[in-house]
Amino acid sequence: MTQSIPSTMKLALATAASAAAYQPATALAQDQASADSLEEVVITGSRIRRIDAESASPVLTVDREAIDQAGVATIGDLLQQIPTISGAAVNPATNNGGGAGASHVELRGLLPERTLVLLNGRRFGFVSNVADTGASAVDVNTIPVSMIERVEVLKEGAGAVYGSDAVAGVVNFITKKHVDGLELSYDFGETGKSDGQRQAVSLTWGTESERGNIMLGGTWNKQESISAGDRDFSRSALYLYGSVFEGGSSRTPTGRIFFDAGSPLANQYGCTSVTRADGTSGSSLSDYRCFVTTGNNSDFFNYQPFNLLMTPQERGSIFTLADYDINEHIQFYAEAMFNTTRSGFQIAALPFDSRNDNIVISAQSVYNPFGIDFGGGPQANGTLNPNALWRLLALGNRGSEFSSDTSQTNLGLRGDLGESAWNWEVGIGYGRTQQETTTSGYLYSPAATQAFGPSFIDGSGNAVCGTPAAPILNCTPVNVFNLADPSQTAALATISAAYTQKFSYATRIARAGLDGDVFNMPAGPAKLAVGAEYRDQSLSFDTDFLTQASAPNFDTCLLAQETCSGDQAGGYDVSELYAEIFLPLLADRPGVHALNLTLGTRYSDYSNFGNTTNSMAKLEYRPVADLLIRGTYSELFRAPTIVDLFRAPSATAPTFNDPCVGLTAAQVTANPNLALACQNVPQDGTFAQPNSQITGILIGNPDLQPETGDVLTLGFVFEPSAMLKGLSVNIDYWKYSLDNVINALDVNTAAQQCVVSGDPQFCGQIVRFQDGSIRQIKQPSVNLGTLETDGIDFGITYRFETERAGAFRVGLDATHLTKFDNVPAPGAATTRVAGTFDRQFGNYAKYRGTLSLGWKLREVDALLSARYIDKIRLDDPDGAPGIQPALQIPSFTYVDMTVGYKFRDKTTVRVGVDNLTDKTPPILYQNNVINSNTDVATYDTIGRAYWLTLKHNF
């Protein structure tokens, strides 16, 4: 694509995903001629029962045909390809910062916490483990693919209809209702590199009678891991600091040992940091040389081959759905689902930092050739020992064993009021998540303190911890200066440890609703829906005693700093009332085929912060039967989650661009706020932050208030009933505005706002060591700033049949992001995210689209589809002082293909190829991302993949 191609042509050429049957909700409508015989239904985005499949609300439907043709083992693989999804949602390719096998849905790039997930129109009752995924959001992979009939995606906020969390929109999973017989399916897939094997088996059985039906099902799927070392783009840690080079971590297997400038050791070596030379024992000063920090032959440690591109996961699910007519007016219904998941991340061996980990490597250790102490926290006189860093390969990789058991049950009664047009429903629901994570590959600090402390050689020639006057029993000194010595593997094992964290989340819901005709209007009956809901949510998070963090900085515990956390518990309840009325204003008048108005409001009373009321108005105008012009306005709110409120201080590892790099006295004179942001940083232009990843401390805030805002949509749907019958065109403009935005304070925002304003709200979060390097930046949850975003969605579907060549379907669904502006704090400069990859928010390409061509002839069907992601830029892409030229990332098009054949209406065989052209993701560099040099939330990281699905109906 060149810049000379108009944007509209880009979208026409653009493309996407395996979900070729993406379609507006009108695709589910039947001929208007039979409208009178249709059953009234509830479409996502409303509580009103109506015959019309198309309403004022823009709804995208992914039907069962699309799900089958996608060939996906988990529903998250399908949903994350929808053009309205952007940002940085977690998926199984998120290894560092994930590892739970979860997939979140992030509509409009507004964070997964702002997308509400429903199951059959009811809230999904559990969330992911926030310790693993970093978000309090639903893992949609827990929903079995085999039980889903279709997915409806409401592309607007719906606070008045559903309450909190429906800010960006709603994803509603509609399950199969009527199954008669047994269906068995098997799925197998593998990449073009012969790795990443996946398998899935599902069984669904159902039966129906005159009084009801029941459906039972079970699924099992397994995804094998893929190593980052098995792909060229991710094999090396690539950095962009002035130039591109293969870099990595300064925590290396041979160590990086620092000396104070001007000290005798620094003068002896002619540098302030050294590393052990290859092939030496590290027992004498001559075994060390200066640490090389530049070029492709630098001494930095390449951690990438030890990381994963795809985290392994194994899932099993069982589910049942049942309806039973108690009598002609009352029906009992039940839904139950259970899922168990096993997954885990793998990252490189522990980086040991003697300062951050507060462990002194003693001058009196028999293995220390330098004769000085290294590391530990500030000494009694306020000074710091020189630092010393290592990569503890002998401990093995850090990794987790993650297990999750989730269950959800909904029970209720529904029916009608005699011969009236009124329907009612009462029900209760309960959802629960129980998760446990065991993470290994760490040092037990008290034991490490002894093993790295003073030691001596006893009369038998053995190294002993302590001093001759005070030996330490059951302690083996560790030679951290030469961990390549095989004997040190056993020594490290004596001071290693794993830790366990447990997470549980429960939701209890009670609801009652009533809907029906209230009075007649000239254009038809007015319809009313009223109801009440009660929801109680509670969460507990228990971390190991080894990782209990201590005040005031919460970065010191019995294991490495990155593990430090704390227990968390809390909850709240909410009582809600809602009302929605549909008013058919005019019908069958000149110039007005139909004119309808829908009004709604919802009152919510929270136990922790009080009450809020949110309302909406929706207008539908059909000048003729084939054209619907629509507009909606809705007030939005998002209550702070339990995690937002009560999160215990816990460590994270954000990417940080330090504004103090190369600091000079002249810069401080020009902007005195730099002195607040850069405490202890030397002002001679020599300062460089040792690592792009620093320690952040996430902290909850029980005083948070809800986010508030509104959303406006305007658009039309055109479906000609004569010429070009089978064509459907929809275009919708949308605009969101949010205030009082809830976020964990971003580390870069804290530093930038400190430099701009000097406000202690930001400057006070930055904690540096005496040499100016970052110790930590606190990240409390805050109500801060505003967010505005707008754009245009449009879709085109055309279906036609030929007598000999079969039936064809062409579909295009696309989104143009016009604006995504964040003001991080009052008075701060606006961050304009549209068209960029932003380190805080993620990927916000201005254009995303899916284009598909489907064909069916008797027993054969085929689909060619593509997914288009527009070019983006990455502003200030390196860590050099000043603003650097933006990194330009080209547009990407992924092409997929599938072919199916059905034998005797019983057995279907389907084969497919994803990423047909084997596209490699763009390089964004490790100083801007956390995983694999690229944006794993947006781009395909595994390459071309093949799959086969077999399905048989008995």
Side-chain angles (χ1 to χ4, degrees):
M1 304 283 178
T2 65
Q3 293 185 351
S4 61
I5 297 178
S7 299
T8 52
M9 286 188 65
K10 286 185 182 180
L11 284 171
L13 296 171
T15 49
S18 43
Y22 290 153
Q23 51 193 297
T26 48
L28 299 175
Q30 300 182 36
D31 292 341
Q32 291 295 321
S34 61
D36 293 339
S37 64
L38 290 177
E39 179 184 0
E40 290 185 333
V41 296
V42 177
I43 299 296
T44 302
S46 175
R47 302 279 186 177
I48 300 290
R49 296 175 187 273
R50 295 176 57 189
I51 292 175
D52 307 89
E54 188 65 69
S55 68
S57 298
V59 177
L60 176 73
T61 298
V62 184
D63 64 15
R64 186 66 225 181
E65 179 186 3
I67 297 171
D68 288 339
Q69 290 181 321
V72 295
T74 61
I75 203 70
D77 294 338
L78 178 66
L79 293 185
Q80 289 191 325
Q81 298 174 352
I82 293 175
T84 48
I85 289 177
S86 57
V90 164
N91 64 46
T94 310
N95 176 54
N96 193 352
S103 286
H104 295 163
V105 181
E106 189 170 343
L107 291 174
R108 306 292 188 206
L110 289 172
L111 297 182
E113 293 91 337
R114 298 189 184 107
T115 296
L116 180 64
V117 176
L118 306 176
L119 184 67
N120 289 328
R122 307 177 190 96
R123 280 178 177 263
F124 208 51
F126 43 83
V127 300
S128 299
N129 185 338
V130 295
D132 289 287
T133 65
S136 178
V138 170
D139 173 13
V140 296
N141 287 342
T142 58
I143 303 173
V145 174
S146 59
M147 73 181 289
I148 301 302
E149 179 63 30
R150 67 183 186 277
V151 185
E152 294 179 354
V153 181
L154 176 66
K155 299 187 290 183
E156 65 173 4
V161 179
Y162 299 112
S164 179
D165 308 335
V167 174
V170 177
V171 178
N172 189 9
F173 294 93
I174 311 298
T175 60
K176 297 175 180 178
K177 296 295 191 299
H178 303 285
V179 175
D180 193 5
L182 177 66
E183 179 182 280
L184 180 65
S185 68
Y186 172 74
D187 171 82
F188 176 84
E190 190 174 75
T191 76
K193 303 289 186 181
S194 299
D195 58 9
Q197 187 181 99
R198 78 180 204 212
Q199 295 185 75
V201 177
S202 69
L203 182 150
T204 305
W205 172 84
T207 186
E208 296 183 300
S209 69
E210 291 183 356
R211 302 195 66 171
N213 63 81
I214 186 171
M215 181 176 74
L216 300 172
T219 67
W220 170 85
N221 63 70
K222 184 175 183 180
Q223 169 72 62
E224 301 288 352
S225 64
I226 300 176
S227 170
D230 291 336
R231 298 294 187 272
D232 291 340
F233 73 89
S234 59
R235 185 169 294 130
S236 300
L238 300 177
Y239 285 81
L240 176 61
Y241 286 128
S243 62
V244 176
F245 61 92
E246 294 183 4
S249 170
S250 58
R251 282 80 166 175
T252 72
T254 54
R256 187 177 185 185
I257 301 161
F258 290 86
F259 310 122
D260 292 333
S263 67
L265 286 167
N267 292 334
Q268 176 179 338
Y269 287 104
C271 56
T272 57
S273 67
V274 298
T275 190
R276 179 173 58 82
D278 291 339
T280 64
S281 66
S283 59
S284 68
L285 297 183
S286 61
D287 290 346
Y288 295 84
R289 58 171 175 79
C290 288
F291 190 95
V292 178
T293 61
T294 59
N296 286 330
N297 293 319
S298 73
D299 288 316
F300 290 112
F301 172 70
N302 180 23
Y303 48 80
Q304 273 301 111
F306 304 93
N307 294 343
L308 297 179
L309 273 180
M310 177 63 67
T311 56
Q313 57 178 296
E314 185 172 8
R315 296 177 181 270
S317 301
I318 56 175
F319 56 87
T320 182
L321 300 99
D323 298 327
Y324 179 74
D325 294 334
I326 297 174
N327 57 42
E328 62 180 338
H329 298 295
I330 302 175
Q331 183 183 69
F332 168 78
Y333 68 86
E335 301 170 356
M337 184 180 71
F338 174 80
N339 174 275
T340 183
T341 298
R342 301 295 181 265
S343 186
F345 67 80
Q346 176 185 293
I347 54 179
L350 183 68
F352 172 71
D353 185 318
S354 57
R355 274 190 186 173
N356 283 348
D357 293 329
N358 196 25
I359 294 177
V360 175
I361 300 171
S362 175
Q364 281 72 51
S365 168
V366 295
Y367 300 118
N368 186 346
F370 298 102
I372 62 172
D373 289 336
F374 294 98
Q379 304 304 298
N381 61 3
T383 62
L384 279 173
N385 294 326
N387 204 7
L389 318 172
W390 278 274
R391 180 70 58 163
L392 306 183
L393 290 185
L395 273 180
N397 294 324
R398 289 166 290 167
S400 69
E401 294 182 0
F402 170 83
S403 64
S404 175
D405 295 321
T406 58
S407 59
Q408 175 150 319
T409 302
N410 282 298
L411 303 173
L413 298 170
R414 58 194 170 203
D416 57 55
L417 297 179
E419 301 301 321
S420 74
W422 285 85
N423 298 279
W424 58 270
E425 179 180 347
V426 293
I428 57 174
Y430 178 75
R432 184 171 181 83
T433 302
Q434 292 182 292
Q435 299 174 337
E436 183 173 306
T437 306
T438 299
T439 309
S440 58
Y442 290 92
L443 294 180
Y444 178 50
S445 294
T449 297
Q450 295 178 342
F452 293 159
S455 57
F456 66 97
I457 303 297
D458 67 9
S460 301
N462 298 316
V464 178
C465 298
T467 64
I472 300 174
L473 301 177
N474 301 317
C475 173
T476 301
V478 172
N479 183 6
V480 73
F481 295 92
N482 185 14
L483 295 174
D485 183 344
S487 66
Q488 295 309 302
T489 300
L492 275 177
T494 66
I495 59 173
S496 66
Y499 67 95
T500 298
Q501 295 176 321
K502 296 181 179 181
F503 170 90
S504 66
Y505 181 94
T507 301
R508 301 165 184 85
I509 299 175
R511 57 188 171 268
L514 184 67
D515 68 270
D517 298 348
V518 284
F519 52 82
N520 289 320
M521 300 180 68
K527 297 176 179 292
L528 176 70
V530 295
E533 294 184 5
Y534 172 81
R535 187 169 67 257
D536 175 87
Q537 300 175 105
S538 60
L539 177 152
S540 68
F541 175 74
D542 299 317
T543 193
D544 205 302
F545 80 95
L546 295 171
T547 54
Q548 290 283 350
S550 55
N553 291 319
F554 300 100
D555 59 1
T556 301
C557 58
L558 297 179
L559 299 184
Q561 181 190 78
E562 67 180 58
T563 70
C564 297
S565 184
D567 292 341
Q568 170 188 341
Y572 59 77
D573 60 78
V574 55
S575 300
E576 299 182 291
L577 299 172
Y578 67 84
E580 182 181 353
I581 189 166
F582 169 76
L583 302 170
L585 303 179
L586 293 172
D588 300 322
R589 301 286 183 87
V592 182
H593 179 74
L595 179 64
N596 303 320
L597 175 66
T598 302
L599 301 174
T601 191
R602 190 181 193 93
Y603 171 82
S604 304
D605 185 19
Y606 282 78
S607 61
N608 55 333
F609 65 77
N611 60 71
T612 180
T613 300
N614 296 271
S615 301
M616 69 173 187
K618 302 182 179 183
L619 187 66
E620 307 164 28
Y621 169 49
R622 289 185 182 270
V624 294
D626 297 348
L627 177 63
L628 169 64
I629 300 172
R630 60 191 181 186
T632 71
Y633 173 82
S634 298
E635 293 179 321
L636 307 172
F637 86 103
R638 179 173 83 88
T641 66
I642 300 175
V643 176
D644 294 328
L645 296 165
F646 306 114
R647 183 196 294 268
S650 56
T652 185
T655 300
F656 179 61
N657 282 344
D658 197 335
C660 307
V661 171
L663 185 71
T664 64
Q667 290 174 326
V668 176
T669 300
N671 182 2
N673 293 335
L674 281 166
L676 302 174
C678 307
Q679 289 185 10
N680 303 327
V681 173
Q683 299 180 14
D684 57 6
T686 62
F687 177 73
Q689 185 60 234
N691 285 284
S692 61
Q693 275 187 273
I694 55 98
T695 297
I697 303 294
L698 298 171
I699 304 172
N701 178 1
D703 297 324
L704 286 172
Q705 296 298 304
E707 295 178 343
T708 58
D710 55 60
V711 57
L712 172 72
T713 71
L714 297 169
F716 71 86
V717 180
F718 177 57
E719 294 181 305
S721 56
M723 290 185 60
L724 293 178
K725 187 175 181 180
L727 174 69
S728 176
V729 179
N730 62 280
I731 299 179
D732 290 283
Y733 166 79
W734 46 269
K735 181 179 181 180
Y736 294 78
S737 178
L738 296 178
D739 298 316
N740 231 19
V741 172
I742 300 171
N743 270 320
L745 182 63
D746 177 64
V747 294
N748 291 293
T749 297
Q752 292 161 5
Q753 292 306 306
C754 177
V755 171
V756 170
S757 68
D759 188 335
Q761 180 182 11
F762 303 106
C763 299
Q765 312 302 337
I766 304 170
V767 182
R768 295 180 183 268
F769 288 113
Q770 278 81 347
D771 64 355
S773 61
I774 291 290
R775 174 173 179 171
Q776 65 174 224
I777 297 180
K778 293 184 174 67
Q779 298 182 264
S781 296
V782 290
N783 287 113
L784 195 64
T786 62
L787 197 154
E788 293 185 355
T789 180
D790 63 30
I792 298 173
D793 296 336
F794 68 87
I796 302 173
T797 302
Y798 184 46
R799 300 173 181 267
F800 62 94
E801 294 188 24
T802 63
E803 184 174 345
R804 295 185 178 181
F808 293 85
R809 180 189 180 279
V810 180
L812 170 67
D813 184 60
T815 293
H816 170 46
L817 177 64
T818 305
K819 178 175 73 173
F820 195 103
D821 289 355
N822 173 236
V823 179
T830 301
T831 302
R832 304 190 188 281
V833 179
T836 75
F837 175 86
D838 183 88
R839 297 173 186 87
Q840 177 183 357
F841 293 98
N843 190 307
Y844 290 78
K846 286 191 174 183
Y847 292 95
R848 293 175 187 244
T850 68
L851 179 68
S852 61
L853 173 61
W855 167 75
K856 181 176 178 60
L857 178 63
R858 292 185 289 276
E859 293 84 8
V860 184
D861 66 82
L863 174 70
L864 183 66
S865 60
R867 176 166 55 106
Y868 174 80
I869 304 165
D870 197 20
K871 67 181 186 297
I872 57 170
R873 71 176 192 278
L874 200 168
D875 292 329
D876 195 19
D878 69 12
I883 304 299
Q884 307 303 312
L887 179 66
Q888 302 294 332
I889 305 298
S891 63
F892 269 68
T893 299
Y894 293 105
V895 179
D896 306 321
M897 183 175 67
T898 176
V899 177
Y901 187 86
K902 193 167 188 177
F903 297 87
R904 299 181 181 178
D905 292 328
K906 290 289 186 180
T907 303
T908 302
V909 179
R910 190 174 300 279
V911 295
V913 184
D914 296 334
N915 193 355
L916 185 65
T917 56
D918 201 19
K919 286 276 190 178
T920 300
I923 302 299
L924 274 64
Y925 304 103
Q926 279 300 114
N927 47 294
N928 298 303
V929 298
I930 296 177
N931 287 279
S932 306
N933 299 313
T934 192
D935 172 15
V936 299
T938 302
Y939 302 105
D940 173 38
T941 59
I942 67 174
R944 185 185 296 121
Y946 306 92
W947 53 268
L948 164 71
T949 298
L950 303 175
K951 184 182 293 185
H952 184 74
N953 293 292
F954 295 89

